[in-house]
Amino acid sequence: MTSAALPLRLLTAAAPLLLAACGTLGAAAQAESGAGGVFADVWGRWADSGGDIAVAVTWERKVQPGVTVAEIEDAFASVAAEENLKMVGSLPLSAELQARSGQPQKFLKVYSYCDPETARLMVEFSPHMAAFLPCRISVLEKEDGLWIYTMNMDMLTTMGRKLPPALKPRVKRVRDAVWKMLERGARGEF
């Protein structure tokens, strides 16, 4: 190989990495302020979990001892009313599994909430956001008690393209409402 061929081969090999870096830098320039911190948190949770992407992209809270499912549901309903979110459904998975099998099941239920106007605006901003609708919160019984899980909404609201000025406060309000549901549900506060 000639000495002139070596730099060409190195440049050819490095080109995809350079292009990826340029794309990453371009995307980062379009992101909301604080995107780097959220990305670092998601990346750290992914690495710490041994590569479990679900751990990386969710928030969770252990429910305080003595708090019942009814109290969690009351807390969710209270926050939803305060924040004008609509309960659009629930999926009582453990009840369905028990009905099918006749065997007792650990509690598992998914609760769905939505602000229809904000949802429409988000989908108009990015049609792919439709895949994340409605906002979901799950209550899961594990060996050590009840847990609440929901999507890390900071990932969607901060790591993406900058939101239009009229949409940003609406999205933040929904994000904050889901966070309050997680926190207050875990304490049974309504």
Side-chain angles (χ1 to χ4, degrees):
M1 174 181 325
T2 67
S3 60
L6 183 59
L8 182 58
R9 288 186 94 177
L10 288 174
L11 183 58
T12 302
L17 293 173
L18 292 172
L19 290 173
C22 289
T24 300
L25 292 174
Q30 298 301 316
E32 291 285 340
S33 174
V38 173
F39 178 80
D41 181 54
V42 169
W43 185 267
R45 288 175 56 91
W46 177 77
D48 291 346
S49 71
D52 187 336
I53 192 64
V55 170
V57 299
T58 55
W59 292 327
E60 74 280 334
R61 287 293 175 277
K62 179 158 185 357
V63 176
Q64 291 180 355
V67 174
T68 66
V69 169
E71 291 169 326
I72 295 169
E73 290 175 343
D74 286 345
F76 290 171
S78 177
V79 173
E82 290 168 15
E83 300 298 334
N84 200 24
L85 291 183
K86 181 169 176 58
M87 165 62 125
V88 294
S90 65
L91 193 57
L93 294 170
S94 54
E96 176 65 23
L97 292 170
Q98 185 167 333
R100 290 180 184 196
S101 70
Q103 301 297 316
Q105 302 289 316
K106 290 181 182 169
F107 189 82
L108 174 57
K109 189 172 180 179
V110 180
Y111 306 82
S112 298
Y113 293 89
C114 190
D115 172 343
E117 292 85 11
T118 301
R120 168 51 67 190
L121 292 170
M122 278 300 289
V123 170
E124 288 173 1
F125 173 69
S126 174
H128 288 87
M129 284 293 187
F132 296 99
L133 298 175
C135 298
R136 290 173 303 279
I137 302 174
S138 299
V139 177
L140 169 66
E141 181 181 5
K142 295 174 24 177
E143 294 300 325
D144 63 347
L146 294 170
W147 285 78
I148 304 172
Y149 293 89
T150 192
M151 178 180 57
N152 176 345
M153 292 188 67
D154 289 340
M155 179 185 64
L156 294 178
T157 61
T158 306
M159 288 176 62
R161 291 180 292 136
K162 287 185 176 109
L163 296 167
L167 179 56
K168 189 172 183 172
R170 295 183 74 119
V171 170
K172 177 148 178 29
R173 184 185 60 79
V174 172
R175 177 259 183 233
D176 291 348
V178 171
W179 181 263
K180 281 201 301 193
M181 288 176 158
L182 181 71
E183 293 290 324
R184 288 173 46 184
R187 294 189 301 267
E189 289 180 7
F190 50 92

